[in-house]
Amino acid sequence: MGYPGIKRALRPGVYAPLPTFFDEHQELDYGSYKKHLLNLATKGMVPVCAGSLGEAVHLSFDERIALIKFIRTTLDEAKLETTPIVAGVGGLSTRETIRLAKAAAEAGADAGMVILPAYYAASLNTDPEQVIQYYVDICEGSPIPLLLYNFPANAGGQDMPSAVISEIMNRAPNLCGVKLTCGGSIGKLVRLNSEIQDNSIINSSRSFQFLLLDGLIADLTPWMQCGGHGTVSGIPNFAPVASMRLWELLNKLSLTVEEAKEAARLQAILSKADVAAVPGGIRAMKYALNKMYGYSAVPRKPLLPLKESEGEIFMAALAELLELESELAKK
């Protein structure tokens, strides 16, 4: 069977990592998923499914593929045919990741995102060539472009230095970008951007622009100032209007005094929320989305819903952001 190829190229922007909603029986809750997907996609965000916040490790192979098909159908029915889909396709082995990438392509994904396998992290860390070869191999085997996802917290502590990422960029032309959710990400961005500027082959050898994406909206302003292309952040799940407004302002050639003040205010409030949200992870996100929209708050076991006392503390930390979101939504 053939694959759809690159129908919808990825572009700079705000990418939204969708949580996977479950009902009281731990089955996929497509009703909540559809409402949330459309709330974000209609505001111009690119959906990312089955990632870290999407509980990819709690989904079966069939569930991951079913979600992609559901997203594509939902977007098309909403006249969002040009909106691409990024799907988490990382597996525990090279073979499994390639299999996931092929199935995701058939299901309608336009690109995949791959975090390093965590189980043998200690062994992978002994020789960086193993990491490089992993991405080279999966990029060669995947029918859709792949994003490299550097997230040490969810990869057994593995943190790819910019030299390793640069080597992969040069050896894997089907790598379409990186997402950096790691310490020192701005420094890595500067080095990788310099590599792209100095080595024209990186972009000329691809039919798409190589993207440098941030994993935390907390530093989106300096990220863009240093040559970045956008963010893949959980915060837009709570504040899509505020997130897209900041993105709009950061892409203007020049800002008025009032716009500069607005951008600074937006960045400050979004950053505070990001700092509060990261430790709580998917449990905190689902608690907040339940309070805000009535979506299912249930993660898949062994994770349990956030305790009410913990949830109240988290909602208090989001209060300024939610007030800002309400303010902007009325305009």
Side-chain angles (χ1 to χ4, degrees), residues 56-290:
V57 294
H58 291 166
L59 302 175
S60 69
F61 180 95
D62 289 343
E63 286 174 328
R64 290 170 79 157
I65 302 310
L67 277 179
I68 298 169
K69 293 179 178 178
F70 181 77
I71 293 170
R72 186 71 268 157
T73 298
T74 300
L75 292 174
D76 291 349
E77 289 176 348
K79 309 300 181 185
L80 296 170
E81 296 94 341
T82 61
T83 299
I85 299 170
V86 177
V89 296
L92 290 178
S93 69
T94 298
R95 181 186 290 253
E96 181 185 8
T97 299
I98 292 174
R99 178 172 176 249
L100 276 165
K102 289 180 176 179
E106 286 189 356
D110 300 284
M113 183 177 290
V114 181
I115 192 172
L116 275 173
Y119 194 86
Y120 289 113
S123 293
L124 284 171
N125 267 331
T126 61
D127 181 4
E129 181 60 30
Q130 297 180 105
V131 170
I132 295 168
Q133 192 63 50
Y134 172 67
Y135 279 101
V136 169
D137 289 344
I138 62 175
C139 283
E140 287 180 351
S142 172
I144 50 176
L146 299 179
L147 287 152
L148 177 155
Y149 181 16
N150 188 46
F151 188 17
N154 281 14
Q158 298 173 92
D159 187 3
M160 287 177 270
S162 52
V164 166
I165 298 172
S166 179
E167 183 71 15
I168 297 167
M169 285 164 52
N170 283 283
R171 287 172 53 180
N174 199 32
L175 187 76
C176 64
V178 300
K179 174 192 175 184
L180 302 180
T181 311
C182 51
S185 60
I186 294 287
K188 289 179 183 178
L189 165 66
V190 170
R191 291 187 288 275
L192 293 175
N193 189 47
S194 176
E195 170 76 5
I196 292 171
Q197 299 305 316
D198 294 342
N199 185 356
S200 61
I201 295 176
I202 290 175
N203 274 325
S204 65
S205 63
R206 292 167 166 81
S207 58
F208 40 78
Q209 177 187 10
F210 194 89
L211 297 179
L212 300 167
L213 301 174
D214 188 17
L216 298 168
I217 205 169
D219 52 15
L220 183 57
T221 297
W223 187 266
M224 298 297 290
Q225 292 169 343
C226 292
H229 301 116
T231 185
V232 191
S233 167
I235 292 300
N237 283 284
F238 309 125
V241 179
S243 299
M244 292 306 292
R245 177 57 179 163
L246 177 61
W247 174 251
E248 176 189 356
L249 291 170
L250 292 178
N251 280 277
K252 284 197 170 189
L253 293 177
S254 63
L255 297 177
T256 66
V257 172
E258 288 304 313
E259 286 174 333
K261 289 181 179 178
E262 181 187 3
R265 177 181 178 234
L266 286 166
Q267 182 63 86
I269 294 174
L270 288 165
S271 294
K272 290 176 187 175
D274 215 357
V275 169
V278 169
I282 186 58
R283 297 170 69 226
M285 173 177 286
K286 286 191 169 181
Y287 180 93
L289 292 175
N290 172 262

Side-chain angles (χ1 to χ4, degrees), residues 286-313:
K286 286 191 169 181
Y287 180 93
L289 292 175
N290 172 262
K291 294 300 182 183
M292 294 168 66
Y293 303 114
Y295 303 150
S296 170
V298 180
R300 194 166 256 180
K301 293 179 177 180
L303 295 181
L304 298 175
L306 209 62
K307 295 182 177 67
E308 199 67 27
S309 58
E310 297 172 307
E312 289 174 358
I313 293 171

